[in-house]
Amino acid sequence: MARVRSEAEVKTRPDLPPAPGTRIGILGGTFDPVHCGHLVVAQAAFARLALDTLLFVPAHLNPLKQSQAATAFQHRLAMLDLAVACQPGFFVSAMEGKRTPPSYTIDTMRVLRARLGAQVELFLLVGLDAFREMKGWKESAAVARLANLVVFPRPPYGLGELGEIMPRTLPAYRYDEGRQAWQETAGNRRVIPLDLPALALSATSIRARILAGADPTGLVPPGVAEYIVAHHLYQADRP
Ligand code: ATP
């Protein structure tokens, strides 16, 4: 049976793969649990953006979900490890588990930029559900200065809403028809709308289905389903 990760393992594992390359995608989230919707988006983004590495960065504690109890970081990490097995270029970084919560994206992006250098192209992948909230993130404009943002649909929110969301979220960007992206007016950063496939799946609905007695097989990668069953996750109501 796959093991829950120990606290010592979280602290000592590498934050980055040995040779991450120069085009790096970052998908942050709570991943409680990681599900097929995350993987479909990650695989499509990896191909469409010609990434060398896609980093999955689970939040220790999402600042916007502090009132909701999340499953232990060590379980969420173990499930992510199972989900990315046999997916070349995918890497799970426990860097937010090493810091004092809450997990702010700006802190993660600063560490990545410092560790990887100015020449590396960073692409922060953000679903529209999260992007709609970005104005409320800590130092959101600074986040956008550290990486290109790749925004993708998350039903019920579609890319058509960007025209309304962009001016209030990142006012210093203009839409560039040629590049089909929002371009920073005084710099080189972009906000790239990408029509990635979105499955009608959420971690919330998966937790609710398991609580109601459903088998998670088919909603999450096979190893993750086995892990959930073996560790009796999501079978009891949260506090
Ligand atoms: P919860 O239901 O607990 O809020 P979630 O399913 O939304 O969780 P998160 O871990 O919060 O999952 O999501 C991380 C990122 O993955 C976000 O950018 C979110 O938009 C994206 N994402 C999650 N599920 C899907 C999906 N089915 N299709 C496309 N993007 C998704």
Side-chain angles (χ1 to χ4, degrees), residues 36-183:
C36 296
H38 295 127
L39 283 187
V40 165
V41 155
Q43 284 157 348
F46 191 82
R48 297 265 299 270
L49 298 166
L51 299 177
D52 298 311
T53 296
L54 198 148
L55 294 177
F56 288 77
V57 186
H60 195 171
L61 177 66
N62 180 334
L64 300 178
K65 292 184 183 171
Q66 291 199 55
S67 56
Q68 301 163 30
T71 304
F73 185 81
Q74 287 93 326
H75 276 311
R76 293 185 282 121
L77 189 63
M79 290 189 279
L80 274 163
D81 284 342
L82 292 164
V84 307
C86 303
Q87 307 258 4
F90 285 11
F91 187 87
V92 182
S93 178
M95 58 195 296
E96 294 190 352
K98 299 179 185 181
R99 294 200 308 262
T100 309
S103 316
Y104 292 108
T105 302
I106 185 63
D107 299 333
T108 297
M109 298 312 296
R110 284 198 171 117
V111 171
L112 288 175
R113 184 50 83 193
R115 297 267 298 272
L116 292 162
Q119 301 314 315
V120 161
E121 286 255 46
L122 295 178
F123 298 90
L124 179 63
L125 308 177
V126 189
L128 256 158
D129 56 325
F131 189 68
R132 294 173 89 247
E133 313 281 322
M134 186 172 172
K135 194 175 160 48
W137 294 8
K138 184 181 168 194
E139 298 185 56
S140 56
V143 171
R145 278 197 300 275
L146 287 165
N148 295 309
L149 300 180
V150 176
V151 183
F152 55 88
R154 177 84 198 272
Y157 310 114
L159 291 178
E161 290 174 54
L162 271 181
E164 184 252 319
I165 301 170
M166 274 302 289
R168 66 175 147 89
T169 307
L170 294 168
Y173 285 65
R174 296 287 169 268
Y175 191 71
D176 179 330
E177 283 291 346
R179 294 182 131 176
Q180 303 225 331
W182 297 76
Q183 180 71 44

Side-chain angles (χ1 to χ4, degrees), residues 28 30-31 35 38 41 65 127 129 152 154 199 201 203-204 207:
T30 311
F31 301 110
H35 54 69
H38 295 127
V41 155
K65 292 184 183 171
D129 56 325
F152 55 88
R154 177 84 198 272
L199 299 187
L201 263 187
T204 304
R207 292 194 300 270

